[in-house]
Amino acid sequence: MLFCIAYALIGIPVTVFFLAAIGIKLGNANRWVEKKVKTAVSKLARNPGVIRIATLLITLFIGFGTFFFVPAYIFTLVEKWNYLDAIYYVFITLSTIGFGDMVTTVNELEGVEVFYDYLYKVAVIIWIMTGLTFLSM
């Protein structure tokens, strides 16, 4: 129990620092996309309300595509889940509910070199961290 407490005292601040750093990078990327979208949409519409709504919708579309729909598709390929299960896993994981009823590959992937298995697991961890940051923005 003492180890758990000590680990949490160190791990939680480090995780918060890491998420804040990712948030800064995602915020910069979001502002860049927003600027490009505003430029493109302002050529089509002059109403500031229409520009704001179009920018928001396109930015959300890109963000949810990047953190929800594309990873879910990848999980259907790698984990052999159906798409609904993959979307469920993505939502439950990124909303921090995390029931634990579905987890990504616990064992080594069949027919894949060990390096790619570890690469996949690291990519999932990075996706979770950046996805959590995206949803918190």
Side-chain angles (χ1 to χ4, degrees), residues 2-97:
L2 290 175
F3 174 77
C4 230
I5 292 171
Y7 185 78
L9 287 174
I10 295 168
I12 291 172
V14 168
T15 302
V16 169
F17 177 75
F18 183 68
L19 289 176
I22 292 173
I24 290 169
K25 297 292 184 190
L26 282 177
N28 292 339
N30 189 34
R31 282 186 284 283
W32 181 82
V33 168
E34 186 177 352
K35 181 180 170 187
K36 296 292 184 186
V37 169
K38 276 185 181 179
T39 303
V41 172
S42 65
K43 294 176 183 174
L44 300 173
R46 298 286 181 220
N47 185 343
V50 171
I51 294 171
R52 188 173 299 126
I53 290 172
T55 302
L56 175 68
L57 290 176
I58 292 171
T59 305
L60 283 174
F61 179 76
I62 292 170
F64 277 101
T66 303
F67 293 106
F68 274 79
F69 303 119
V70 171
Y73 179 71
I74 292 170
F75 290 136
T76 62
L77 299 176
V78 176
E79 302 291 340
K80 308 292 189 256
W81 295 337
N82 64 45
Y83 195 70
L84 182 61
D85 286 344
I87 287 288
Y88 167 79
Y89 171 77
V90 167
F91 176 78
I92 293 300
T93 300
L94 294 185
S95 63
T96 68
I97 295 171

Side-chain angles (χ1 to χ4, degrees), residues 79-125:
E79 302 291 340
K80 308 292 189 256
W81 295 337
N82 64 45
Y83 195 70
L84 182 61
D85 286 344
I87 287 288
Y88 167 79
Y89 171 77
V90 167
F91 176 78
I92 293 300
T93 300
L94 294 185
S95 63
T96 68
I97 295 171
F99 292 126
D101 56 341
M102 295 180 76
V103 294
T104 55
T105 306
V106 177
N107 302 320
E108 290 184 13
L109 296 172
E110 294 178 21
V112 176
E113 292 182 30
V114 174
F115 171 76
Y116 294 114
D117 181 51
Y118 286 121
L119 183 65
Y120 171 71
K121 291 175 182 177
V122 168
V124 169
I125 291 169

